[in-house]
Amino acid sequence: MAQYDYDLFTIGAGSGGVRASRYAAGLGARVAVAEERYLGGTCVNVGCIPKKLFSYAAHYGEDFHHAAGYGWQAAAPAFDWQTLVANKDREITRLNGVYEKLLSGAGVTLLRGRATLVDAHSVELDGRRISARYILVATGGWPVVPPVPGAEFAISSNEAFHLSALPRRALVVGGSYIAVEFASIFNGLGVDTTLLYRGERLLKEFDADLGTFLAGEMKNKGMQIRLRSSIERIARDAQGGGLRATLADGNALETDCVMYATGRAPNTRGLGLEHAGVNLSASGAVVVDEKFQSSVPSIYAVGDVIDRVQLTPVALAEGMVVAEQLFGTGARSLDYEGIPTAIFSNPNIGSVGLSEAKARERVGGVDVYRTTFVSLRHQLTGSGEKVLMKLVVDSNTERVLGVHMVGPDAGEIIQGFAVALKCGATKRQFDATIGIHPTIAEEFVTMREAVK
């Protein structure tokens, strides 16, 4: 057997790479991880964690206002952007340290720098060649900004976390989860916000009711939403203080910040993958099989770089599968069916299982249970904010195929129902479950009449 410096060499210390490396080390493998940027990857540094911290911050302004309905009287609150950013940065620094301790505690060698592939069993880092029995590519994704004239004036979600000042006006471009989340954040922090999307409705990859309902609620919170619109060019205004975004229809919008949230591309450029013989898709993603093995038997890939499901828990699960395949029994696998997800817009969205349209394609006959209402909390605030809850059920088997929600803490609620769907729960079993009263979540087990 050939001798290598390591049994596993991982490129990228994000969620998937760290999990695979730690687990492999726990199974007795000699493991090294190379990271050129920051520990924890997108999620910890410019994704899930700081985004949700900003989302919490954005909700407080509304919460202070709603408190008046419950008898609280206070002076108008003042918000300080620099305090939020500094506190966020401190938490991210703490988490970076946690990731470093997790790796060192597992016996994984951490190498700082950019690693590139040389061949099927070798990488190069800072002029040094390192060999490994297996190589795992876990370099994640990177925001894509369309090449419109003036694109250099725009930012992506990466830069949004580090703005030196909160803009007075913001134009967010996109219709998926990152776009609606940041539009909600800006709007909640008092920014005059416009959400611009070229499509017919927001969140086209989700159940149709979710995007439509969310748009209505966001408008009620003061946000402007322009569908079927796109930017043709961006320019700095004559005084240099703001931006002018000219749209395809000839109209123009004046703003202080243009943020593109129009997708992320697999981060594979310049890694030497093609040189090593690894097949890439048209989008640049590493092509892998069900065991996450690439076209080169010794090279594997997980996470956003394979462009399957761009969610942190999925990358973690994929990393576990790889480690188990290479150094364990090989029994672990990953089922992509029924993966729950949350969108931290305002209001929140939670979703698991099939949309109504996908369910009709797959099983034919479906029963849909849908309700909208003002929650008990807002009976005293006067906000009028509504909740949407929806069940998609197979008409023949009564199995619940999809659970969808727009409303407060939707992610927390849907997580539990994801377990029920994974276990194959039926509508009859939902109906037999006693609800917790008074809660929003109880509505999922009290809906009795299907929407025709």
Side-chain angles (χ1 to χ4, degrees), residues 119-205:
D119 55 39
H121 293 283
S122 303
V123 300
E124 187 173 284
L125 190 150
D126 293 334
R128 172 190 172 197
R129 184 167 292 196
I130 303 170
S131 63
R133 183 181 177 191
Y134 299 106
I135 297 171
L136 174 64
V137 180
T139 49
W142 201 254
V144 174
V145 175
V148 301
E152 67 272 16
F153 298 122
I155 65 170
S156 71
S157 56
N158 284 4
E159 295 77 38
F161 291 112
H162 302 284
L163 292 172
S164 59
L166 188 66
R168 183 173 61 86
R169 302 164 297 177
L171 174 59
V172 180
V173 185
S176 194
Y177 67 98
I178 296 176
V180 299
E181 287 173 337
F182 269 96
S184 293
I185 288 167
F186 283 132
N187 187 62
L189 295 178
V191 177
D192 181 1
T193 306
T194 299
L195 180 59
L196 188 78
Y197 181 48
R198 65 183 180 182
E200 297 289 327
R201 64 174 174 84
L202 302 178
L203 304 173
K204 65 178 182 180
E205 64 269 39

Side-chain angles (χ1 to χ4, degrees), residues 288-354:
V288 295
D289 62 15
E290 70 280 357
K291 296 179 180 179
F292 306 101
Q293 186 178 48
S294 75
S295 56
V296 178
S298 59
I299 300 177
Y300 288 70
V302 297
D304 290 0
V305 78
I306 66 173
D307 199 18
R308 285 188 177 174
V309 179
Q310 295 183 2
L311 294 172
T312 293
V314 173
L316 295 172
E318 291 169 346
M320 295 280 282
V321 171
V322 168
E324 182 66 29
Q325 290 288 341
L326 298 182
F327 306 108
T329 64
R332 187 183 291 269
S333 61
L334 179 58
D335 178 12
Y336 286 95
E337 286 287 322
I339 295 173
T341 190
I343 301 172
F344 297 105
S345 51
N346 186 10
N348 289 181
I349 288 178
S351 179
V352 62
L354 300 179

Side-chain angles (χ1 to χ4, degrees), residues 196-327:
L196 188 78
Y197 181 48
R198 65 183 180 182
E200 297 289 327
R201 64 174 174 84
L202 302 178
L203 304 173
K204 65 178 182 180
E205 64 269 39
F206 289 84
D207 187 275
D209 278 345
L210 298 183
T212 301
F213 188 85
L214 177 66
E217 292 300 308
M218 293 171 82
K219 288 178 181 178
N220 290 340
K221 294 177 184 294
M223 192 184 304
Q224 301 175 63
I225 298 179
R226 300 180 68 131
L227 301 176
R228 299 175 291 279
S229 298
S230 60
I231 293 178
E232 284 212 334
R233 63 183 180 276
I234 305 168
R236 181 73 68 186
D237 68 17
Q239 288 73 36
L243 298 173
R244 182 181 178 87
T246 302
L247 309 185
D249 62 8
N251 290 316
L253 298 176
E254 305 290 338
T255 187
D256 302 303
C257 173
V258 176
M259 178 189 149
Y260 274 97
T262 48
R264 298 173 64 86
N267 197 14
T268 53
R269 284 188 178 181
L271 288 180
L273 290 163
E274 301 96 320
H275 179 74
V278 176
N279 290 339
L280 303 179
S281 71
S283 69
V286 179
V287 178
V288 295
D289 62 15
E290 70 280 357
K291 296 179 180 179
F292 306 101
Q293 186 178 48
S294 75
S295 56
V296 178
S298 59
I299 300 177
Y300 288 70
V302 297
D304 290 0
V305 78
I306 66 173
D307 199 18
R308 285 188 177 174
V309 179
Q310 295 183 2
L311 294 172
T312 293
V314 173
L316 295 172
E318 291 169 346
M320 295 280 282
V321 171
V322 168
E324 182 66 29
Q325 290 288 341
L326 298 182
F327 306 108

Side-chain angles (χ1 to χ4, degrees), residues 80-122:
D80 184 72
W81 171 254
Q82 281 72 27
T83 297
L84 171 61
V85 173
N87 289 343
K88 178 268 297 181
D89 287 344
R90 186 171 63 250
E91 173 61 9
I92 301 310
T93 298
R94 184 189 73 82
L95 291 174
N96 292 155
V98 169
Y99 268 73
E100 186 166 4
K101 289 179 181 178
L102 287 173
L103 288 170
S104 62
V108 176
T109 300
L110 174 61
L111 302 172
R112 298 286 189 163
R114 180 175 177 79
T116 57
L117 279 85
V118 176
D119 55 39
H121 293 283
S122 303

